[in-house]
Amino acid sequence: MFSRRTGWDLAPNRLTLLLEERRRSGAPILDLTESNPTAVWLDVPGDEIRAAISLPGSLLYAPDPMGLPSARAAVAARYGIDPGRIVLTASTSEAYSWLFKLLCDPGDEVLAPTPSYPLCEYLAMLESVVVRPYPLGWDGSWHIELGALEAAIRPTTRAVLVVHPNNPTGAFLKREELRALDAICARHDLAIVSDEVFHEYGLADDDRRAGMVALESGVLSFSMSGLSKQAGLPQLKCGWIVVGGPEEVRSKALERLEMIADTYLSVATPVQVGLARLLELADSIRASIRSRLAKNRASLSRALSAAPSVQLLDSEGGWYAVLRVPAIRSEEEWALELLGSQGVLVQPGYFFDFATGGILVLSLLCREDVFTDGALRIARSASGL
Ligand SMILES: Cc1ncc(COP(=O)(O)O)c(C=O)c1O
């Protein structure tokens, strides 16, 4: 009856079961996995956002497959590029799915980093595309293991995915890595698909850091972002793809993307009409998100001074904190113990395919009172170890 693509094992894991039980019993939960910006009491200009999606024209339906010209121009102006290189989508997730349709036939492969956030694999699976992992190495900072990446390429490989900066490690792609990746992709005729949703959340300037991949790469490349993270407005459902690479292949990619986009016409008119204003408002929302991330990272670091066995890994940016905890129990047991005895919900590292074990991931976007309390409880739980 159903496709093999959707033949998932949907049985809840032990952490989900414990969470449901605590919710049912009304026991308090400090959710340090919360990364929905609309659920963490951020200071956002609500009236202005409502006004932006109610502008004249927002109720008129005159769709343009790649996005309304004014909306594409607004995105292009942020990057200083030609609006002809922008394709609007309903989200970055949708952008991935359109790029998989563009680049891959069923059974073709894309290479994706590990550790990284797990949604990529589902997005690929739903397009009948196979994800083959390539490793990111840690030697005090994260880097692409370029030899292993090239060794993973097969005749059916079509693209290399990069998450720039990575979720959850926070590592940005470096210019030198991009040069090496470009050379590999040119040798094997692969495209680069770059997820840049957290690009504007770098912690400190770093001259080694690559900018937008679609502007800096020499091969067919796609940079994806959207309002979800760039403006903390996931509910408005608007993302975009910037297409890069040599002019000839870029134009062909844009022609085909236009056809894909025309088949769905998925971006709602009000958000397109309001996009220029929303991108202006995004600056202040990002400032409020950055301040939240910095305060929570500082309070985590303070709390962990009482628990020297737990290490907060250095990060270059993004919304997450990665903790290395003593390997006295599995990651799942750590998460179960923290939820069961402290009421603190964290994500075990295996959700993100960390190779080493002993990793927990926290969202730094949480409300500050919730986060500080949770961080102190994690420290208390690990202090005697
Ligand atoms: C790295 C990364 N890319 C993409 C997304 C999805 O973004 P969107 O809401 O635009 O689909 C997420 C969501 O958490 C993410 O972490």
Side-chain angles (χ1 to χ4, degrees):
M1 173 73 78
F2 300 112
S3 64
R4 280 197 297 281
R5 277 197 301 268
T6 57
W8 300 297
D9 174 7
L10 295 174
N13 61 28
R14 289 204 291 161
L15 188 57
T16 310
L17 289 172
L18 180 60
L19 183 61
E20 280 167 4
E21 187 187 310
R22 275 188 84 90
R23 286 203 174 116
R24 260 196 313 275
S25 71
I29 297 162
L30 294 167
D31 183 356
L32 300 201
T33 70
E34 184 60 82
S35 53
N36 172 356
T38 70
V40 292
W41 301 7
L42 284 169
D43 186 15
V44 296
D47 290 340
E48 279 127 301
I49 294 167
R50 273 186 285 275
I53 54 175
S54 312
L55 291 173
S58 64
L59 295 185
L60 183 73
Y61 190 52
D64 192 321
M66 308 278 263
L68 296 180
S70 66
R72 293 170 80 197
V75 177
R78 305 294 289 189
Y79 302 130
I81 57 175
D82 170 10
R85 293 173 64 175
I86 309 278
V87 186
L88 291 194
T89 62
S91 63
T92 313
S93 309
E94 186 176 67
Y96 271 107
S97 77
W98 289 5
L99 293 174
F100 292 146
K101 289 181 210 302
L102 173 72
L103 299 168
C104 302
D105 287 312
D108 282 349
E109 300 193 350
V110 295
L111 302 184
T114 55
S116 196
Y117 96 122
L119 191 63
C120 279
E121 192 167 343
Y122 285 85
L123 291 165
M125 208 186 297
L126 286 170
E127 301 302 326
S128 300
V129 170
V130 177
V131 170
R132 185 168 292 274
Y134 69 83
L136 303 179
W138 166 259
D139 56 8
S141 64
W142 294 94
H143 56 271
I144 297 180
E145 302 275 10
L146 290 158
L149 183 153
E150 189 160 17
I153 296 171
R154 309 203 324 175
T156 47
T157 308
R158 298 286 168 254
V160 176
L161 311 185
V162 294
V163 184
H164 175 41
N166 188 269
N167 169 1
T169 68
F172 282 83
L173 190 69
K174 307 299 179 297
R175 272 205 305 274
E176 210 166 291
E177 277 178 321
L178 179 56
R179 252 197 306 278
L181 191 59
D182 255 8
I184 293 173
C185 290
R187 265 200 299 282
H188 299 273
D189 201 20
L190 307 179
I192 303 179
V193 173
S194 178
D195 178 335
E196 298 176 12
V197 298
F198 292 115
H199 202 270
E200 301 205 32
Y201 295 94
L203 276 173
D205 291 338
D206 181 349
D207 329 325
R208 296 168 312 153
R209 190 176 291 165
M212 181 190 280
V213 168
L215 300 187
E216 295 190 0
S217 164
V219 300
L220 179 64
S221 49
F222 305 90
S223 288
M224 305 177 293
S225 190
L227 288 186
S228 171
K229 305 292 188 289
Q230 205 174 107
L233 297 170
Q235 73 280 39
L236 298 191
K237 304 306 294 179
C238 183
W240 49 85
I241 303 169
V242 180
V243 183
E247 150 76 56
E248 196 187 333
V249 66
R250 199 174 76 208
S251 314
K252 287 190 177 141
L254 281 158
E255 266 170 34
R256 289 173 185 233
L257 278 170
E258 179 162 11
M259 190 63 201
I260 296 172
D262 199 13
T263 310
Y264 293 94
L265 297 174
S266 56
V267 193
T269 303
V271 73
Q272 295 196 60
V273 173
L275 196 53
R277 178 69 183 130
L278 291 165
L279 288 172
E280 280 167 18
L281 296 171
D283 293 340
S284 79
I285 305 173
R286 264 199 313 281
S288 120
I289 292 177
R290 281 204 202 95
S291 147
R292 171 71 57 85
L293 301 172
K295 284 185 188 148
N296 281 343
R297 182 170 276 281
S299 85
L300 180 59
S301 181
R302 268 195 308 277
L304 291 178
S305 59
S309 63
V310 180
Q311 186 194 0
L312 169 60
L313 297 194
D314 281 345
S315 175
E316 297 166 38
W319 287 9
Y320 300 92
V322 178
L323 299 183
R324 194 186 292 288
V325 290
I328 50 159
R329 48 177 93 98
S330 72
E331 288 167 343
E332 184 178 46
E333 284 159 353
W334 264 105
L336 288 167
E337 161 67 19
L338 287 171
L339 183 58
S341 73
Q342 305 288 337
V344 178
L345 180 65
V346 300
Q347 280 181 309
Y350 72 80
F351 281 4
F352 304 89
D353 281 331
F354 278 88
T356 55
I359 296 287
L360 301 177
V361 175
L362 317 181
S363 165
L364 293 168
L365 196 66
C366 302
R367 265 170 45 193
E368 283 153 43
D369 55 336
V370 170
F371 192 87
T372 305
D373 192 358
L376 288 169
R377 287 166 190 244
I378 294 172
R380 194 178 315 140
S381 169
S383 62
L385 301 175

